Amino acid sequence: MSERTSSKPGIADYVVARRKRKECFLDEIDRLIDWNPLEKLLRKTLKRVANAVGNPAYPPLPMFKILLLQRWYNLSDTAVEEALYDRFSFVRFVGLSLDHDEVPDATTICRFRQSLVERNVQKRLLDKLNHQLQRRGLLVREGAIVDASVVSSARRPFKVLDVLPQDRQEDTEGGTDVTISYSDDAEAAWLRKGNRAYYRYKIHAATDTRDGFVLGGHATPANRSDTEEFVAVLDEVDAKAGESIFADKGYSSQLNRYVLQVRGLADGIMHKAARNRELTPSKKNANRQISSVRAKVERAFGTLKRGYGFHRARYLGRAKVELEFLLNAMAFNLKKAVLKAAC
């Protein structure tokens, strides 16, 4: 079965290509990245040959690029469909033809995103992109910074709870019972920060220690302890022996430090004072040095929330929130790589 797009340029493509234009960062990304490995992975995993009504399916790579455009320009499915009709830079980046191709509609884009969730391919896509950035010397792996950040649910709950778990609750024994909330986003959870209650997810992630590229991560309900997700993040970013792992004192536990020791990873977890026992001057100095390194992961989370609209999730359910985070991470890393390559 043939695909919906044509690889042969038409007359309109030829005319537009001859027009004088100013290059944008989308052109720079196309020069920087070899899309073939990602296209092979998408084709092998998704095996899409027909759409919901039996018509030939759009190739997966243009659809994946559309999802990246949504992240960079903070566009909904409907808005990116409209932009693909009249923005030449979008058409050129995605690889559509002005003569032969139909533009994927909002429903098609939504279904493609759902297929990524069902096939669980998003983490492998991020790894392949990061591997290319490493080969080009833009992403240098010397260690990782682990942290967590909360993201509001796409739906407001219908009920406010009086008894809530504290943020970064480290003692899980005898924890407070959580009342069942009434919401159509049932996988989110309540979290209290200060005197306010939030219905949220939590993103557990790691960046590299030099430039703050996102290496990997996952989503959980907001009441999940950071400490319990530390090892899972290490596994996702494939931390190698000899690398340094940095984290704040919320991750300080005997188990986490033991895991670092067994794996041959340098311990960069901040020290936590015990009751009636202050930290020694050497540990306070170590905490200050770790804090200066940890600033990179804080800046990454800040950029994702301010520049990519990730202070609140767009979609319902933990799996879709995790997909949104990983798509944001890919877009974030690509834009950071272009800026770094231009320096």
Side-chain angles (χ1 to χ4, degrees):
M1 182 177 291
S2 61
E3 294 178 330
R4 294 286 284 275
T5 59
S6 171
S7 59
K8 297 180 180 180
I11 296 176
D13 300 301
Y14 176 76
V15 172
V16 170
R18 288 181 58 85
R19 292 183 62 191
K20 292 183 64 176
R21 59 181 174 83
K22 183 178 180 181
E23 288 194 341
C24 63
F25 88 97
L26 296 177
D27 300 301
E28 296 172 357
I29 288 173
D30 258 341
R31 286 196 298 269
L32 181 68
I33 297 299
D34 177 9
W35 297 104
N36 289 328
L38 284 81
E39 183 175 24
K40 290 179 181 178
L41 174 61
L42 287 167
R43 286 185 180 276
K44 180 180 178 181
T45 306
L46 301 182
K47 300 177 180 177
R48 302 173 72 249
V49 294
N51 65 9
V53 294
N55 293 324
Y58 289 97
L61 183 60
M63 298 300 300
F64 173 66
K65 286 185 172 183
I66 290 173
L67 299 187
L68 292 177
L69 289 174
Q70 288 185 288
R71 312 273 77 80
W72 286 316
Y73 295 93
N74 198 19
L75 298 173
S76 66
D77 293 343
T78 302
V80 76
E81 176 192 348
E82 294 173 355
L84 285 167
Y85 278 106
D86 56 16
R87 294 192 63 166
F88 291 149
S89 61
F90 280 24
V91 173
R92 187 170 60 250
F93 176 73
V94 171
L96 299 176
S97 168
L98 297 172
D99 283 279
H100 306 293
D101 299 330
E102 301 175 14
V103 170
D105 59 23
T107 302
T108 301
I109 296 169
C110 178
R111 285 174 177 157
F112 177 79
R113 186 171 52 247
Q114 179 62 29
S115 69
L116 294 184
V117 175
E118 293 170 354
R119 297 291 184 174
N120 195 27
V121 70
Q122 55 270 21
K123 293 182 180 180
R124 285 177 283 170
L125 290 170
L126 176 61
D127 289 341
K128 283 191 175 294
L129 282 175
N130 285 347
H131 181 65
Q132 287 199 42
L133 299 183
Q134 284 185 260
R135 281 181 9 203
R136 294 181 177 274
L138 298 171
L139 195 168
V140 180
R141 285 287 299 262
E142 297 175 341
I145 312 168
V146 179
D147 203 1
S149 183
V150 290
V151 176
S152 296
S153 168
R155 294 290 188 271
R156 296 183 182 275
F158 303 144
K159 180 178 179 181
V160 176
L161 304 185
D162 296 325
V163 182
L164 304 168
Q166 290 281 0
D167 185 25
R168 303 242 175 182
Q169 183 175 348
E170 296 160 11
D171 184 8
T172 58
E173 296 182 1
T176 305
D177 292 334
V178 180
T179 304
I180 297 176
S181 59
Y182 299 98
S183 172
D184 54 356
D185 190 6
E187 294 185 82
W190 287 97
L191 184 71
R192 184 174 65 195
K193 295 178 73 71
N195 295 323
R196 297 192 61 182
Y198 301 92
Y199 195 62
R200 295 185 169 186
Y201 290 94
K202 185 176 287 188
I203 303 299
H204 307 267
T207 67
D208 78 286
T209 55
R210 176 175 291 193
D211 297 298
F213 287 96
V214 178
L215 302 178
H218 62 277
T220 67
N223 60 356
R224 181 71 175 173
S225 169
D226 299 356
T227 308
E228 296 175 358
E229 299 300 316
F230 181 73
V231 177
V233 175
L234 294 183
D235 292 337
E236 288 167 345
V237 303
D238 193 24
K240 304 293 186 183
E243 292 183 353
S244 298
I245 306 298
F246 298 89
D248 67 24
K249 62 183 180 181
Y251 293 90
S252 180
S253 71
Q254 290 183 350
L255 175 60
N256 288 343
R257 294 187 188 277
Y258 175 73
V259 169
L260 294 179
Q261 181 181 0
V262 170
R263 298 189 180 189
L265 299 167
D267 187 347
I269 301 176
M270 294 179 68
H271 300 282
K272 181 173 60 177
R275 182 175 298 179
N276 300 324
R277 187 175 63 188
E278 293 186 358
L279 294 177
T280 63
S282 62
K283 289 184 177 181
K284 289 181 179 180
N285 182 57
N287 281 357
R288 284 192 291 269
Q289 294 180 4
I290 294 171
S291 294
S292 64
V293 178
R294 284 192 61 259
K296 294 181 177 64
V297 71
E298 299 289 352
R299 286 197 293 268
F301 276 129
T303 300
L304 292 179
K305 291 186 177 184
R306 293 190 306 271
Y308 294 78
F310 197 47
H311 58 278
R312 184 175 180 179
R314 286 178 178 266
Y315 315 115
L316 299 179
R318 186 206 61 80
K320 290 184 179 180
V321 173
E322 183 171 292
L323 170 68
E324 184 180 3
F325 161 67
L326 293 171
L327 288 171
N328 282 332
M330 287 182 257
F332 171 81
N333 286 359
L334 287 171
K335 194 166 188 178
K336 179 183 282 289
V338 165
L339 295 174
K340 186 176 179 181
C343 295

